């Protein structure tokens, strides 16, 4: 008696997988499902290919195509390779960071800038459209200190990237003001130091502390006068100034 044994049907289906843009996915050959194996037969590996496995593949879905199964007893099967496995390429994460900057008190905020980190595949900023929105609560007369530069999406878009935003810092420094004090005209020994000598002026309101103070009798010679000016507005820094005063000897008969 002759018995005809027909090959059994065997279906090999590629399993779905995922990766991010810029990442190369290497199939190990075990990412499949086999339906129809009997009698202890097995499949050790399957060749899997997908156009999306390369790191340059853009975001999207790609078929995973199985072929060339390797295993035991496969001559006893009619193998069908199903191509319904899907490789999904997701967006890479791009870091968007507001750059730290500073300005003086009572001046306008500078134009804020930002830096991108995490570009892959040789991409540059040309792959981005629009720009992030950089804002701060600081206005021109905000007190000296640090203020967040808040970074949000704004109009920024990219085909192959999502975004992770990091705030920066705006530092407001003490403001500037004008202060003048020229060397006063000389006096004769015996004349007391007064407002004709201790007469520094500043464009900001504040307190002047002179050394020596008014009413002091200075010796003949060149004397050093100094002042510490402390603005009433704490957003301005104190200033030290010095001048020279010549005291000529008094006549004595």
């Amino acid at each position: 008696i002759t018995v005809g044994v027909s090959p059994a049907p065997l279906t090999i289906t590629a399993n779905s997988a995922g990766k991010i843009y810029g990442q190369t996915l290497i199939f190990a050959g075990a990412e499949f499902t086999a339906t129809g194996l009997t009698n202890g037969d097995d499949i050790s590996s399957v060749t899997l290919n997908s156009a999306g496995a390369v790191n340059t593949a853009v975001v999207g879905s790609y078929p995973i195509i199985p072929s060339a199964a390797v295993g035991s007893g496969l001559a006893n099967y009619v193998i069908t390779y199903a191509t319904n496995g899907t490789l999904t390429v997701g967006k890479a994460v791009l870091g968007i960071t507001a750059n730290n900057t500073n300005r003086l008190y009572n001046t306008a905020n500078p134009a804020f800038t930002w830096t991108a980190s995490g570009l892959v595949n040789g991409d540059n900023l040309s792959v981005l459209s629009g720009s992030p929105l950089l804002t701060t609560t600081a206005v021109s007369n905000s007190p000296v200190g640090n203020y967040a530069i808040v970074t949000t999406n704004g109009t920024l878009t990219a085909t192959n990237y999502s975004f992770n935003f990091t705030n920066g810092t705006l530092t407001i420094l003490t403001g500037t003001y004008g202060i003048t004090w020229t060397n006063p005209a000389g006096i004769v020994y015996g004349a007391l130091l007064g407002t004709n000598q201790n007469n520094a002026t500043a464009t900001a309101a504040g307190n002047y502390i002179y050394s020596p103070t008014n009413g002091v009798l200075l010796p003949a010679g060149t004397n050093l006068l100094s002042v510490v000016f402390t603005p009433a507005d704490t957003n301005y820094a104190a200033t030290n100034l010095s001048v020279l005063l010549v005291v000529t000897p008094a006549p004595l008969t």
Side-chain angles (χ1 to χ4, degrees):
I1 298 173
T2 302
V3 178
V5 179
S6 300
L10 174 62
T11 301
I12 297 176
T13 304
N15 297 337
S16 294
K19 76 178 192 71
I20 64 171
Y21 173 70
Q23 176 189 52
T24 298
L25 178 64
I26 299 176
F27 294 112
E31 301 88 351
F32 65 90
T33 300
T35 304
L37 285 170
T38 62
N39 298 326
D41 294 337
D42 68 355
I43 299 175
S44 59
S45 68
V46 171
T47 299
L48 300 165
N49 290 291
S50 175
V54 297
N55 59 352
T56 54
V58 299
V59 169
S61 297
Y62 301 84
I64 303 174
I65 302 172
S67 64
V70 176
S72 64
L74 296 186
N76 298 312
Y77 298 90
V78 175
I79 301 176
T80 300
Y81 293 99
T83 59
N84 58 349
T86 300
L87 175 65
T88 302
V89 178
K91 291 187 175 185
V93 177
L94 188 67
I96 303 295
T97 303
N99 296 326
N100 297 334
T101 188
N102 62 70
R103 66 167 174 84
L104 299 177
Y105 170 71
N106 215 24
T107 61
N109 290 332
F112 298 134
T113 59
W114 52 277
T115 300
S117 58
L119 289 165
V120 295
N121 291 341
D123 290 345
N124 55 40
L125 294 181
S126 66
V127 302
L128 307 179
S129 298
S131 60
L133 179 63
L134 308 176
T135 60
T136 184
T137 59
V139 294
S140 63
N141 61 349
S142 293
V144 167
N146 293 326
Y147 298 81
I149 303 172
V150 179
T151 311
T152 55
N153 195 90
T155 59
L156 189 64
T157 60
T159 300
N160 296 310
Y161 296 91
S162 60
F163 305 107
N164 180 47
F165 296 100
T166 301
N167 295 341
T169 300
L170 170 66
T171 300
I172 298 181
L173 308 173
T174 53
T176 60
Y177 53 89
I179 183 168
T180 57
W181 192 18
T182 57
N183 291 334
I187 60 175
V188 178
Y189 174 71
L192 300 181
L193 188 64
T195 55
N196 288 332
Q197 295 78 43
N198 287 338
N199 58 358
T201 59
T203 57
N207 183 44
Y208 301 85
I209 298 179
Y210 291 98
S211 179
T213 60
N214 292 340
V216 171
L217 177 64
L218 297 175
T222 300
N223 293 266
L224 180 69
L225 309 181
S226 62
V227 65
V228 177
F229 173 70
T230 304
D233 188 340
T234 57
N235 292 295
Y236 295 101
T239 299
N240 298 322
L241 283 179
S242 297
V243 294
L244 297 176
L245 172 65
V246 176
V247 179
T248 56
L252 177 63
T253 300

